[in-house]
Amino acid sequence: MAAITRLVKRNPPLFSLARGFSSTISPAPPRKERNVQWVFLGCPGVGKGTYASRLCNLLGVPHIATGDLVRHELASNGPLSSQLSEIVNQGKLVSDEIIISLLSKRLADGEAKGESGFILDGFPRTIKQAEILEGVTDIDLVVNLKLQEEALLAKCLGRRICNQCGGNFNVATINVKGESGRQGMVMAPLLPPAHCMSKLITRSDDTEPVVKERLRVYNEMSQPVEEFYRSRGKLLEFDLPGGIPESWPKLLQALNLDDYEEKQSVAA
């Protein structure tokens, strides 16, 4: 945990970005500023990794996904791999102790490389984790991505990974009809290039029973975590209106980053 403390207790945040949100810390001179320290919340399959990684590329911060940390440990055949395999295949949440251990190691490795700022994806998932994180870092903003459950289930079941390049794709064509005041939604598939098509595999935990159990467990446990950050004025709830083409510009606008992306494009 000391590694977490050293990494995140350095300098005040570089941005006060989300519309309606403002930092209570005065900005430091430019040479001492650190980058953003954000958390992305949302159900499994909502797109946390997609949008967090895009923002990380835009802002120049590392994308730390606890799901990736778990999968890396599973593939390593390390001391936790068999225990994690049983937990994941049953659609259960990994314990706080394991997640904290994996995250602490990742932050320590990043600190050694000179990383500044981060976007956490998939952490915290429990009040206990949120309290631990609150004690060692100053999170600037928590973005809660939301998507209709029908679309979530279809997205999870349509996920595919190229077993050669590791690319993530989705073969599902989602068309949710609007009814009873609910807005309809159309999401096109995210298909791989031709050379990856024959190499696609499905994650072992992306089956309908496991996905439904993950969604049930997440919804049960997410409310207290959302309220934890809402009460601190750090929660930004964002309803995804569709796929990336529809959602990305609106997310940038909600984060007050629409002009920032344009400036970065011009500078490049």
Side-chain angles (χ1 to χ4, degrees):
M1 297 307 295
I4 301 179
T5 305
R6 291 196 302 272
L7 177 66
V8 300
K9 285 292 187 182
R10 290 177 175 170
N11 298 301
L14 179 58
F15 301 105
S16 295
L17 293 173
R19 299 191 193 279
F21 288 77
S22 61
S23 172
T24 58
I25 305 176
S26 300
R31 63 180 180 175
K32 294 183 180 180
E33 288 170 343
R34 68 155 168 80
N35 219 317
V36 301
Q37 296 182 171
W38 289 354
V39 166
F40 264 57
L41 300 179
C43 287
V46 75
K48 295 187 299 295
T50 298
Y51 293 103
S53 62
R54 278 180 165 237
L55 284 167
C56 285
N57 290 334
L58 180 64
L59 299 173
V61 297
H63 173 211
I64 303 177
T66 53
D68 289 343
L69 297 181
V70 169
R71 283 186 285 276
H72 181 269
E73 184 66 24
L74 280 168
S76 71
N77 292 320
L80 294 176
S81 64
S82 59
Q83 182 182 355
L84 284 171
S85 179
E86 181 178 353
I87 293 170
V88 170
N89 288 334
Q90 291 177 1
K92 296 181 179 179
L93 292 178
V94 179
S95 71
D96 293 342
E97 290 74 15
I98 293 176
I99 290 295
I100 292 297
S101 175
L102 295 176
L103 179 60
S104 181
K105 183 178 184 302
R106 169 63 183 84
L107 292 178
D109 291 344
E111 180 186 12
K113 297 175 184 177
E115 290 179 349
S116 173
F118 52 79
I119 295 180
L120 292 181
D121 167 3
F123 182 92
R125 288 186 173 182
T126 67
I127 284 291
K128 180 180 177 182
Q129 291 177 354
E131 289 173 343
I132 292 172
L133 193 60
E134 184 83 1
V136 297
T137 181
D138 181 20
I139 293 297
D140 307 322
L141 181 68
V142 178
V143 181
N144 187 27
L145 297 182
K146 304 173 79 172
L147 187 64
Q148 297 176 31
E149 186 165 336
E150 183 179 345
L152 271 172
L153 181 59
K155 278 191 67 181
C156 288
L157 297 181
R159 289 193 295 196
R160 300 292 185 272
I161 301 171
C162 176
N163 64 5
Q164 184 173 63
C165 72
N168 289 279
F169 308 99
N170 202 297
V171 299
T173 299
I174 300 171
N175 189 347
V176 179
K177 295 182 179 180
E179 54 186 26
S180 302
R182 186 182 68 174
Q183 186 175 356
M185 177 182 296
V186 175
M187 300 178 71
L190 181 61
L191 298 176
H195 62 270
C196 290
M197 188 65 75
S198 63
K199 304 176 182 68
L200 297 183
I201 59 174
T202 303
R203 277 172 37 176
S204 61
D205 57 328
D206 276 346
T207 63
E208 187 166 347
V210 172
V211 169
K212 285 184 174 179
E213 176 64 9
R214 287 210 308 266
L215 294 177
R216 185 195 68 78
V217 171
Y218 180 85
N219 287 327
E220 182 178 292
M221 301 187 70
S222 66
Q223 294 300 322
V225 177
E226 292 169 14
E227 184 55 39
F228 179 89
Y229 288 114
R230 185 180 294 111
S231 67
R232 287 160 174 75
K234 295 183 177 182
L235 187 71
L236 173 65
E237 301 197 82
F238 184 79
D239 290 289
L240 294 164
I244 295 173
E246 299 84 10
S247 300
W248 176 243
K250 291 184 178 180
L251 179 59
L252 289 179
Q253 184 179 22
L255 294 170
N256 204 17
L257 278 174
D258 37 351
D259 291 339
Y260 184 81
E261 185 180 45
E262 293 176 8
K263 291 176 182 177
Q264 291 293 90
S265 299
V266 171

mmCIF file of all heavy atoms in Angstrom, residues 33 63 79 89 148 160 205 226:
data_model
loop_
_atom_site.group_PDB
_atom_site.id
_atom_site.type_symbol
_atom_site.label_atom_id
_atom_site.label_comp_id
_atom_site.label_asym_id
_atom_site.label_seq_id
_atom_site.Cartn_x
_atom_site.Cartn_y
_atom_site.Cartn_z
ATOM 1 N N GLU A 33 2.516 20.086 -12.097
ATOM 2 C CA GLU A 33 1.199 19.500 -12.153
ATOM 3 C C GLU A 33 1.267 17.991 -12.407
ATOM 4 O O GLU A 33 2.118 17.512 -13.138
ATOM 5 C CB GLU A 33 0.381 20.169 -13.262
ATOM 6 C CG GLU A 33 -0.036 21.585 -12.911
ATOM 7 C CD GLU A 33 -0.632 22.312 -14.097
ATOM 8 O OE1 GLU A 33 -0.429 21.862 -15.223
ATOM 9 O OE2 GLU A 33 -1.296 23.334 -13.873
ATOM 10 N N HIS A 63 -3.775 3.361 -18.316
ATOM 11 C CA HIS A 63 -5.083 2.741 -18.113
ATOM 12 C C HIS A 63 -4.864 1.486 -17.279
ATOM 13 O O HIS A 63 -4.214 0.547 -17.722
ATOM 14 C CB HIS A 63 -5.687 2.395 -19.476
ATOM 15 C CG HIS A 63 -6.948 1.601 -19.400
ATOM 16 N ND1 HIS A 63 -7.309 0.684 -20.363
ATOM 17 C CD2 HIS A 63 -7.934 1.575 -18.469
ATOM 18 C CE1 HIS A 63 -8.473 0.135 -20.043
ATOM 19 N NE2 HIS A 63 -8.866 0.660 -18.897
ATOM 20 N N PRO A 79 0.892 -18.143 -8.095
ATOM 21 C CA PRO A 79 0.287 -18.746 -6.905
ATOM 22 C C PRO A 79 -1.215 -18.492 -6.772
ATOM 23 O O PRO A 79 -1.912 -19.254 -6.106
ATOM 24 C CB PRO A 79 1.058 -18.087 -5.749
ATOM 25 C CG PRO A 79 1.661 -16.840 -6.326
ATOM 26 C CD PRO A 79 1.935 -17.155 -7.755
ATOM 27 N N ASN A 89 -14.737 -18.246 -13.169
ATOM 28 C CA ASN A 89 -15.619 -19.159 -13.895
ATOM 29 C C ASN A 89 -17.000 -19.276 -13.254
ATOM 30 O O ASN A 89 -17.964 -19.673 -13.915
ATOM 31 C CB ASN A 89 -14.975 -20.541 -14.012
ATOM 32 C CG ASN A 89 -13.810 -20.554 -14.987
ATOM 33 O OD1 ASN A 89 -13.751 -19.742 -15.905
ATOM 34 N ND2 ASN A 89 -12.871 -21.467 -14.783
ATOM 35 N N GLN A 148 -28.435 0.087 -21.017
ATOM 36 C CA GLN A 148 -29.588 -0.788 -20.808
ATOM 37 C C GLN A 148 -29.136 -2.244 -20.712
ATOM 38 O O GLN A 148 -28.258 -2.692 -21.448
ATOM 39 C CB GLN A 148 -30.576 -0.620 -21.961
ATOM 40 C CG GLN A 148 -31.155 0.781 -22.075
ATOM 41 C CD GLN A 148 -32.050 0.925 -23.293
ATOM 42 O OE1 GLN A 148 -32.696 -0.026 -23.722
ATOM 43 N NE2 GLN A 148 -32.095 2.126 -23.856
ATOM 44 N N ARG A 160 -15.287 -10.920 -28.524
ATOM 45 C CA ARG A 160 -14.326 -11.868 -29.070
ATOM 46 C C ARG A 160 -12.925 -11.284 -28.925
ATOM 47 O O ARG A 160 -12.735 -10.066 -28.935
ATOM 48 C CB ARG A 160 -14.598 -12.157 -30.545
ATOM 49 C CG ARG A 160 -15.963 -12.762 -30.853
ATOM 50 C CD ARG A 160 -16.117 -14.178 -30.310
ATOM 51 N NE ARG A 160 -17.384 -14.759 -30.733
ATOM 52 C CZ ARG A 160 -18.534 -14.629 -30.073
ATOM 53 N NH1 ARG A 160 -18.578 -13.917 -28.947
ATOM 54 N NH2 ARG A 160 -19.630 -15.197 -30.530
ATOM 55 N N ASP A 205 -15.562 -17.037 -19.567
ATOM 56 C CA ASP A 205 -16.607 -16.562 -18.663
ATOM 57 C C ASP A 205 -17.691 -15.771 -19.388
ATOM 58 O O ASP A 205 -18.596 -15.245 -18.751
ATOM 59 C CB ASP A 205 -16.007 -15.725 -17.525
ATOM 60 C CG ASP A 205 -15.196 -14.533 -18.033
ATOM 61 O OD1 ASP A 205 -14.597 -14.641 -19.117
ATOM 62 O OD2 ASP A 205 -15.163 -13.508 -17.355
ATOM 63 N N GLU A 226 -21.596 3.723 -5.582
ATOM 64 C CA GLU A 226 -22.034 4.933 -6.277
ATOM 65 C C GLU A 226 -22.427 6.014 -5.278
ATOM 66 O O GLU A 226 -22.074 7.187 -5.446
ATOM 67 C CB GLU A 226 -23.203 4.600 -7.204
ATOM 68 C CG GLU A 226 -22.816 3.714 -8.382
ATOM 69 C CD GLU A 226 -24.027 3.182 -9.131
ATOM 70 O OE1 GLU A 226 -25.134 3.709 -8.911
ATOM 71 O OE2 GLU A 226 -23.873 2.230 -9.921
#
